[in-house]
């Protein structure tokens, strides 16, 4: 537990010192009923911290779980750390280089771990995206180090507060275990309720030695927000064998309290001493226009004029503050069409992964976090 606290405190310090544009953290405290490998049933008290820091062109995410089991007095700790750096282009795609590290420790002395490096090419189109990726690394299953090669192909679609993701991930472990996981996930974030659904299917080699070797799995989750920062988290389902670290499959039901804290940046607070000197003069994209247009069936087209920009994004309470990429159009305009009811919304935009700003022409207001946002009225 001390290691968890130190690691998360260090990452939080880095995020704040590095002036991350978005920092989100949650802490789940609760209990779970577990059944491992369809043979061992137990309960556990769990503590699960999670932290995400977003700089626009880079993202770092960390999570961990400490479990104290009711059977035999055992305990375990698991943790993951991932980071990605994005490289934007003027050719309708952007690249991502990333890394992942994770592992577990158990009170019987068992240790597992893995380190993966990967790259992806993203092809965004309107509110949709297609991506392809490759990765390689090493994994430790408490017996030996093994090599891991993996591929990835997927597609996603952003629908305001809802998001859908579909992936296919072929994997080779130590050039002997070969399988491909196909997974679909749906999520929806609302003001008072978050919902999630995951469905998966595995093709290829099966590991009968690990039991509970399901080819299909699924889970559902929900968070009922009693206040903006306190929610009741519920989840249940089953999960497959993890061949990379030798974990058996199982089933679970969990219930806990979620404490959340998020910070959206205040674009007005810029420390000039932290701005590095620019070696050469470059044309900085300027937002010279912003407009919305209502269409049929509740569709609203958002238009931003930013000549020379490589990436334009918007976020707001209508997207649960999840960034949405706009699609380039003619004469420096960028567009996205959303389903919005008539009313007033808070929103911001950013150019090329820079600071979030209030769109021109919108009234600036101070939100509950002390940041500046624009007030968008849809008539």
């Amino acid at each position: 537990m001390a290691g968890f606290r130190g690691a998360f405190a260090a990452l939080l310090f880095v995020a704040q010192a590095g002036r991350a544009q978005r920092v989100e953290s949650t802490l789940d405290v609760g209990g779970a009923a577990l059944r491992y490998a369809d043979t061992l049933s137990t309960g556990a008290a769990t503590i699960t911290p999670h932290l995400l820091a977003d700089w626009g062109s880079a993202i770092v995410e960390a999570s961990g779980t400490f479990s104290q089991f009711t059977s035999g007095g055992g305990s375990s700790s698991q943790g993951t750390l991932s980071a990605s750096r994005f490289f934007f282009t003027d050719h309708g795609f952007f690249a991502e280089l990333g890394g992942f590290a994770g592992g577990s420790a158990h009170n019987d002395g068992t240790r597992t771990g893995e380190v993966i490096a990967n790259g992806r090419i993203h092809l965004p189109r309107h509110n949709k995206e297609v991506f392809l990726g490759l990765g390689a690394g090493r994994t430790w299953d408490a017996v030996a180090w093994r090599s891991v090669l993996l591929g990835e192909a997927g597609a996603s679609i952003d629908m305001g507060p809802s998001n859908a993701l579909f992936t296919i991930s072929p994997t080779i472990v130590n050039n002997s275990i070969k399988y491909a996981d196909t997974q679909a996930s749906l999520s929806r974030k609302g003001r008072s309720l978050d919902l999630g659904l995951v469905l998966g299917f595995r093709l290829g080699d099966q590991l009968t030695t690990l039991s509970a070797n399901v080819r299909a799995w699924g889970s559902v989750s929900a968070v009922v927000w009693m206040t903006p920062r306190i929610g009741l988290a519920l989840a249940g389902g089953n999960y497959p064998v993890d061949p990379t670290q030798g974990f058996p499959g199982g089933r679970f039901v969990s219930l806990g309290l979620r404490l959340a804290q998020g910070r959206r940046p205040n674009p007005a607070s810029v420390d000039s001493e932290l701005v590095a000197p620019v070696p050469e003069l470059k044309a900085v994209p300027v937002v010279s226009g912003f407009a919305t247009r209502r269409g049929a069936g509740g569709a609203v087209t958002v238009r931003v004029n930013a000549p020379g920009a490589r990436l334009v994004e918007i976020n707001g309470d209508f997207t649960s503050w999840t960034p949405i990429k706009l699609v380039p159009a003619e004469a420096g305009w960028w567009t996205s069409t959303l389903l919005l009811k008539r009313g007033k919304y808070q929103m911001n935009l950013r150019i090329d992964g820079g600071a979030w700003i209030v769109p021109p022409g919108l009234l600036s207001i101070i939100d509950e976090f002390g940041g500046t946002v624009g007030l968008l009225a849809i008539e």
Side-chain angles (χ1 to χ4, degrees), residues 18-165:
R19 305 188 69 80
Q21 296 170 4
R22 179 168 61 106
V23 178
E24 297 179 1
S25 62
T26 61
L27 178 66
D28 289 5
V29 180
L34 308 166
R35 184 169 177 81
Y36 292 112
D38 281 342
T39 58
L40 174 63
S41 297
T42 185
T46 61
I47 299 176
T48 302
H50 175 266
L51 178 65
L52 181 145
D54 181 2
W55 287 267
S57 60
I59 291 179
V60 176
E61 188 169 7
S63 64
T65 298
F66 174 80
S67 303
Q68 181 66 53
F69 299 107
T70 57
S71 300
S75 63
S76 71
S77 299
Q78 301 179 37
T80 63
L81 174 65
S82 64
S84 291
R85 176 72 166 87
F86 302 99
F87 302 88
F88 301 103
T89 75
D90 298 321
H91 306 291
F93 73 92
F94 63 94
E96 174 189 354
L97 292 179
F100 171 88
S104 68
H106 309 266
N107 68 323
D108 62 358
T110 303
R111 302 286 189 272
T112 68
E114 62 180 333
V115 178
I116 304 290
N118 68 306
R120 294 189 184 98
I121 296 295
H122 298 259
L123 303 170
R125 293 294 184 272
H126 192 45
N127 62 333
K128 307 175 184 66
E129 181 183 82
V130 175
F131 56 90
L132 299 171
L134 292 172
R138 300 280 286 173
T139 181
W140 172 259
D141 62 1
V143 176
W145 283 101
R146 307 178 190 276
S147 62
V148 178
L149 296 175
L150 53 90
E152 187 179 31
S156 66
I157 178 170
D158 291 319
M159 300 167 286
S162 301
N163 179 272
L165 175 66

Side-chain angles (χ1 to χ4, degrees), residues 198-225:
V198 175
L199 298 173
F201 186 81
R202 175 168 293 168
L203 298 172
D205 295 339
Q206 299 291 294
L207 300 183
T208 57
T209 57
L210 291 179
S211 302
N213 194 27
V214 298
R215 286 185 177 270
W217 61 89
S219 64
V220 294
S221 62
V223 181
V224 180
W225 294 103

Side-chain angles (χ1 to χ4, degrees), residues 40-41 137 144 150 153 164 181 185 244 250 254 274 281 284 294 313 334 370:
L40 174 63
S41 297
L150 53 90
D181 286 347
S185 62
T244 61
S254 65
L274 297 179
L281 293 177
V284 179
R294 173 170 287 280
E313 298 169 287
W334 296 69

